Amino acid sequence: MAAAEIAALLLTWTPFLAGGFAWNILISLVAMIIGTIFGALLAWLRLSGHTPLAHASLVVTELTRNIPTFVFLFYLAFLIPTEFEFSGQIYAFPVWLKASLAFSVAVIGFVSDNLLVALQHRERHNHAAALLFIPSWTTYLLIIVMASSTASVIGVGEIVSRCNIVIAAVGGNETMLWVYTYAICYFLVFCFPLNWAMGCARRRLLTRVGVPAL
Amino acid sequence: MGRCPGFRAACLLVLIVIMVGREAQADRLDLIQKRGTLIVGVKSDYPPFGMLDAHGRLIGFEPDLAAELARRLGVGLQLVAVTSTNRLQKLEEGAVDMVIATLGDSPQRRQIATLVEPGYYASGATAVAPPTPRLSSWTDLRGKKVCATQGAYFNRPMAQRFLLDLQIFNGTRDARLALRDGRCVAWLYDDTSFAGLLADPEWANYETPLPSMMISPWAIALSAKEQGSRLEQMISEAVADWHRSAWLIDVEKRWGIRPSQYLVEMRALWTRRQADGGLLCARLENGNWPAECRHKWLLKSADVGGIQHFGLLLKEQTGLNMTIIYDAYDRLLFLRGLWITLQLMVACIAGSLIVGCLGALAAESGFPGVRTCVQMSAALGRMTPPLLLIYLVFFGVGHIIVSRFGWTFDGASIVIVCLSTYTGCAIVSALLEAVSVLKEQQPDFRLGWRELPQALRLSYAAVVASLVNVVKATGMASVIAVPELVSAATAIVAEQGNPEVMMNVLMITYFLLVTTVVQIFNYLERRIPELGRR
């Protein structure tokens, strides 16, 4: 396949694939929001001083840390009904929300652990160290964005499943190579600048705290 | 005596009732032979299994079976057209001796009729699809829009097992049109009905590329009273003979029906011999066929012994269908999946450490430009979703290598390489950060083989976090059909329809595996505090 041909092909499908990538970001953001709410609750409970509650939150955090997201994705896909009835009305449970829920479990563990450290710093009026939570949170968002590509296995119409649709529609063996590489570029373009900015933020905060960068 | 005519009348009535009762209880086989005619209910609207010819006579696959039974009994044959709604009712009324009318065997129907084992044919769910894009397995349809016809027994279970996005239409015609207009990628349909549809030239282009699922065997039905009767025994023996002699396959061919996998498998099963030379499927002392020759889902705990008895009892009592306990095939599939997953986990941990350490060593080797190069690659590697990397290598690069050099790689090694690269990149970054801290502490520090443990010790938490993540991610191998734990679990769900049980088993197994790995790393951290502190 000539380079011009490949470029034309990718250009034709760009709106479709970009739409898929928007889903990746949406799924990840929803997962981060759900995970942050519950993770913050756990971190707060761990600090609350009620020993049984603090202990229980620690156990829940341990649990979420050891749940493999990929397997949990299948778990929710098979076990949450596609439709449910609520006061006589039938509602659909969208599959992307199942994916968000699956990813949010990993976020809960992350937020519970990292926010706990940040809150402890704040209690000691070590505000710069507490602020380190923000770059960590953003970096974790990037990890979830990359994990969101696995949502394709349960049929979410995000970028990887759209790649497969494009490949099926266009045919040809070399297409696969280029379409997948193109999809990887989306992730690189999105993650690289954010990751770099967060790295800078972290280093600046660390110098304010006076700890050597690690 | 004239005093009590009522008593005499009552006696007479009782006598009549007893006589009639006896007559009704008399063997149906005797009745058929006395009558000299076998009356069989068959379909008239299900070509080519049961249909009307130009003269209005009932012909087809099922009438042929009826004729063969009449020949064996040495009596004449009378065929009666029945429909799906009235076939069991006619049987109960006694209007027909038996029904051979595309009747699927199920526990519910066994409550109201005697269904003869073994079955003589089987239907299942198939996917009718245009030739492109070519479907290679049912999982290709996961999450896709699939048309279906209202009321088919397999709609709901198939949607659950393969996570199909079903578009249910009221009639066959609507579903056909929707498929033709591309509103769905495939049409979930009964494989035996599709045989009749193929005659239509409009359907010549369509294919059924996938193996039939949810196979439901068709049984000859007798009235409920015939359970264990001579007639049942005789028919059961006849059907077994048909399987052994491949006569059913001949009849299938005669009617131009696409060869059914079920008949091929049944022929193999019914002709299989035991070590002593006797047939595997020979009647037991209690008159039943052995459990191996009966349909698995029709077995009750009382029919079998050992661990299978326990598993079926659990299912009957609690509804938990733990097929991996009592079904030898599922158990093997699951254990093999567990074994492959364990191997993948160990290989990925080792691979990630090797990539990480080699990368860090290369970066610190002091050659000009190598450090920047390694750091760039590590950053790139960390920002490539591993699933896309697996697809890219397996389908994209893999295909080019096969076509240019003829080398093939198996899926498992590709997954190990991809996941190790992804995780290795994270480890490189962690090691390099540790090295920069060490350099601040000891200005003459330089990373070499000997200093590696020291750097690993300092970055232990970050490295272990990456390794635990790669262990969790091994399930991704299922996307390219490596038969590991996730593949095994979804395959069992597809076959048995027990997602509640299997998904919980899978989740718990994986959780325990991950927890074990975490514990091992914690143990190592405690046991080797001297690591790197020379």
Side-chain angles (χ1 to χ4, degrees), chain A residues 62-72 74-79 98 106 139 142-143 145-147 149-156 159-161 163-165 168-169 173-174 176-181 183-184 187-188 191-193 195-196 212-214, chain B residues 133 142-144 160-163 376 379-389 391-392 395-397 399-400 404 422 430 433-434 436-437 440 458 468 471-479 486 490 493 499-501 503-504 506-507 510-511 514-515 518:
Chain A
E62 294 269 355
L63 201 73
T64 55
R65 266 191 238 135
N66 290 3
I67 287 180
T69 312
F70 187 82
V71 177
F72 200 53
F74 275 99
Y75 187 83
L76 294 186
F78 275 106
L79 296 190
K98 292 184 185 178
T139 316
L142 299 185
I143 293 177
V145 168
M146 280 187 282
S149 62
T150 53
S152 59
V153 299
I154 59 165
V156 179
I159 193 163
V160 180
S161 23
C163 282
N164 293 336
I165 292 173
N173 292 313
E174 248 178 80
M176 288 193 269
L177 187 66
W178 296 113
V179 173
Y180 287 133
T181 311
I184 288 174
F187 286 91
L188 292 182
C191 295
F192 221 89
N195 199 44
W196 180 78
L214 180 72
Chain B
R142 197 179 276 159
K144 300 272 166 56
Q160 282 174 344
R161 293 175 190 199
F162 295 104
L163 305 174
M376 279 299 291
L380 279 179
R382 289 176 70 180
M383 277 164 223
T384 307
L387 182 72
L388 264 172
L389 193 64
Y391 277 136
L392 180 72
F395 293 112
V397 181
H399 177 80
I400 290 172
R404 300 261 163 89
Y422 175 74
E433 278 185 22
S436 65
V437 170
E440 274 178 29
L458 195 58
V468 170
V471 162
K472 288 188 200 169
T474 47
M476 273 184 211
S478 61
V479 299
V486 177
T490 47
V493 169
E500 298 84 3
V501 172
M503 284 297 128
N504 279 303
L506 174 69
M507 202 61 221
Y510 242 97
F511 184 80
V514 174
T515 308
V518 171

Side-chain angles (χ1 to χ4, degrees), chain B residues 45-119:
Chain B
D45 57 355
Y46 209 94
F49 292 92
M51 54 192 173
L52 294 167
D53 70 0
H55 308 286
R57 281 179 308 214
L58 286 160
I59 56 160
F61 182 90
E62 288 173 337
D64 281 5
L65 306 194
E68 173 61 18
L69 284 178
R71 194 192 62 79
R72 281 177 178 239
L73 285 166
V75 293
L77 175 69
Q78 185 193 339
L79 292 172
V80 176
V82 293
T83 64
S84 297
T85 43
N86 72 9
R87 55 192 172 188
L88 289 177
Q89 190 193 337
K90 293 227 170 188
L91 198 61
E92 205 45 44
E93 286 168 4
V96 294
D97 295 321
M98 66 184 69
V99 153
I100 312 180
T102 68
L103 183 79
D105 201 343
S106 74
Q108 294 78 12
R109 283 179 176 152
R110 287 189 170 226
Q111 308 278 329
I112 48 175
T114 303
L115 300 184
V116 180
E117 275 186 80

Side-chain angles (χ1 to χ4, degrees), chain B residues 255-462:
Chain B
W255 289 102
I257 305 167
R258 218 170 58 138
S260 139
Q261 190 58 32
Y262 175 79
L263 288 186
V264 176
E265 280 167 14
M266 286 298 270
R267 174 166 157 73
L269 176 67
W270 285 84
T271 51
R272 191 178 301 158
R273 292 194 177 269
Q274 281 173 312
D276 62 4
L279 283 169
L280 173 70
C281 298
R283 280 201 193 276
L284 302 173
E285 277 169 20
N286 62 7
N288 283 337
W289 299 112
E292 296 89 329
C293 308
R294 302 181 61 188
H295 298 296
K296 265 188 273 179
W297 62 91
L298 296 169
L299 286 181
K300 295 200 183 75
S301 58
D303 296 332
V304 290
I307 196 160
Q308 201 175 359
H309 171 77
F310 171 74
L312 285 174
L313 201 64
L314 188 72
K315 179 180 163 189
E316 284 158 21
Q317 300 296 326
T318 64
L320 287 178
N321 191 6
M322 293 281 282
T323 56
I324 52 164
I325 291 182
Y326 67 85
D327 187 295
Y329 180 80
D330 283 4
R331 191 167 53 229
L332 193 69
L333 195 66
F334 189 79
L335 288 179
R336 204 172 66 131
L338 184 62
W339 173 232
I340 292 178
T341 293
L342 280 172
Q343 287 175 302
L344 281 175
M345 285 178 171
V346 172
C348 285
I349 290 177
S352 308
L353 278 174
I354 292 170
V355 172
C357 292
L358 288 182
L361 284 173
E364 288 293 302
S365 63
F367 288 112
V370 174
R371 188 184 170 85
T372 328
C373 192
V374 169
Q375 275 178 328
M376 279 299 291
S377 328
L380 279 179
R382 289 176 70 180
M383 277 164 223
T384 307
L387 182 72
L388 264 172
L389 193 64
I390 291 172
Y391 277 136
L392 180 72
V393 175
F394 188 74
F395 293 112
V397 181
H399 177 80
I400 290 172
I401 292 179
V402 168
S403 57
R404 300 261 163 89
F405 306 103
W407 301 336
T408 51
F409 300 94
D410 76 313
S413 19
I414 286 177
V415 169
I416 293 168
V417 168
C418 291
L419 289 180
S420 299
T421 311
Y422 175 74
T423 314
C425 289
I427 294 177
V428 169
S429 307
L431 281 176
L432 289 182
E433 278 185 22
V435 166
S436 65
V437 170
L438 285 168
K439 275 184 177 165
E440 274 178 29
Q441 291 170 356
Q442 319 158 27
D444 59 338
F445 181 86
R446 195 171 159 272
L447 187 70
W449 284 105
R450 283 193 181 170
E451 290 77 19
L452 208 51
Q454 213 178 337
L456 275 173
R457 174 74 203 162
L458 195 58
S459 54
Y460 195 79

Side-chain angles (χ1 to χ4, degrees), chain A residues 43-44 46-49 116-127 130:
Chain A
W44 179 71
R46 279 164 76 179
L47 272 180
S48 64
L116 180 77
V117 176
L119 289 175
Q120 281 166 345
H121 278 303
R122 208 184 63 167
E123 275 178 7
R124 285 185 232 118
H125 300 286
N126 199 349
H127 291 289

